[in-house]
Amino acid sequence: MLSHMSSMRKTLPVLICLAMLAGGAALYAQDAGAQAPAAAAVPTPSKIDTGDTAWVLVSTALVLAMTAPGLALFYGGMGRSKNALSTFLQSFVILALISLQWVLWGYSLAFGPDKGGIIGGLEWIGLNGVGVEPNADYAATIPHQAFMLFQMMFAVITPALITGAYAERMKFSAFILFTLLWATFIYDPLAHWVWGVGGWVRNLGALDFAGGTVVHISSGMAGLASAIMVKQRLGHGKEHMPPHNLPMTLLGASMLWFGWFGFNAGSALASGALATSAFTATNTAAATAALAWMVTEWIYRGKPSALGAASGAVAGLVAITPASGFVGPISSIWIGIGAGVLCYTAVMLKPLFGYDDALDAVGVHGIGGSWGALATGLFASKAVNSAGADGLFFGNPAQLGIQAMAVLVTIVFVFVGTLIILAIVDAIMGLRVNEEEERSGLDLSQHDEKAYS
């Protein structure tokens, strides 16, 4: 009887997830004709630009590759060998799980018709009304579904980033349920606040070109809440836990750097001058931050490290994300310097606070994203993007205050909301593997497989 109950507890999250996904599909089942816009009876000239569409579709594929294989390699190499396969699998499964969640209800909640500035409506659930004609509110020269797909990849990578904080100790079943709930109740509303037409943070004038608040601060603060709730790994602070495969981590960082051009330059949603400017800012900040982290570590430890250079590049990419469409190349250098120094310092100070952020999701994404959002309020210039705003250094100090408010709101909402979701999942099935399972490694205990024979 006890064995049967234990088996049911393990399969419960999978059944819940499948029921939620299937329920959304059944409730809003549709044929191809249902995707036609409501005004399709009145012929309108196409506004689709094939060059813009091609660039956004390529950018979508680049951002997909950031999760798998990019983040999977980056995180997989940083962990211990007994958990390498499970770390890879988390990124891979999130790609599948959130892709379906986004199509069924996530996109509608994030970008659907506004409801009081808080959430998108259910009008677009199951992609009802999200067809191949452009939606001028978001992107006037590409199919609406192309915009949906591009945003899907942001929704995918954000919960994948969180896995670095609770790596090597969360049950796979708890991971699945947590990811689905977090995407629905944290990511989707936050994306609407910041990017959705009518979103209240967007209406305040907060600037977030490609996800400093929506992706990086949110994943960093969710990572902090997760590290606190799941508690430290066995032996943390007592046993040496070095990365098991640094070449793998460097390869993953390189894939992230490559894919980030789709992440940031793709957020221009057109293959023009703004995409080029964002591309330049992205590469410049990443290169600067890699060197800044390396030099800071060299001064502090006496030697530079491969892990430090890789982490620095990612920190620079994180920090430039919200600013990439609003700043020039010199400003991006300053943002990169700040990212390298501040994120390295945050990682070094981690032991003082006692939480076990296993793969530095908090230090890199939480701190890097916060710095990037605030730096946008310092360095943004309408000379770069007339649709944006000037920052403090270009005569508009109010923008820094708006950015600070967006950062604070994101931190509080995500941290508190994530704690609540984790508490719910813990009450249903428990968050953490038992001691024996953790010592044997998640590869064997959760999947009965090994990364290396």
Side-chain angles (χ1 to χ4, degrees), residues 92 122 138 160 384 387 453:
F92 192 84
L122 299 180
Y138 292 114
V384 174
S453 58

Side-chain angles (χ1 to χ4, degrees), residues 137-186:
D137 285 339
Y138 292 114
T141 63
I142 65 174
H144 193 178
Q145 281 191 9
F147 177 79
M148 178 278 299
L149 286 167
F150 182 65
Q151 292 297 335
M152 175 193 289
M153 299 312 160
F154 288 71
V156 164
I157 197 170
T158 306
L161 295 171
I162 305 170
T163 65
Y166 58 72
E168 305 192 316
R169 58 209 193 271
M170 185 181 279
K171 292 179 180 178
F172 189 72
S173 55
F175 148 77
I176 291 176
L177 183 56
F178 167 72
T179 298
L180 188 59
L181 292 175
W182 191 89
T184 300
F185 294 104
I186 303 296

Side-chain angles (χ1 to χ4, degrees), residues 21 24 34 53 67 73 77 81 90 94 98 106 110 112 127 150 200 227 245-246 256 281 295 299 304 357 407:
L21 292 169
T53 302
T67 302
L73 287 165
S81 59
Q90 286 175 347
I94 283 175
I98 301 304
L127 300 189
F150 182 65
W200 72 272
N245 193 327
L246 281 175
L256 286 169
V295 170
I299 293 170
D357 174 19
V407 169

Side-chain angles (χ1 to χ4, degrees), residues 246 250 297 304-311:
L246 281 175
L250 281 169
E297 182 181 40
S305 71
L307 179 59
S311 298

Side-chain angles (χ1 to χ4, degrees), residues 13 31 82 121 143 145 168 175 212 221 233 249 301 309 396:
D31 58 23
K82 64 182 180 180
Q145 281 191 9
E168 305 192 316
F175 148 77
M221 291 304 102
R233 289 167 291 175
T249 295
R301 293 179 62 246
N396 181 23

Side-chain angles (χ1 to χ4, degrees), residues 69-71 73-74 245-257 310:
L71 188 67
L73 287 165
F74 184 70
N245 193 327
L246 281 175
M248 183 185 295
T249 295
L250 281 169
L251 180 60
S254 301
M255 284 295 302
L256 286 169
W257 193 334

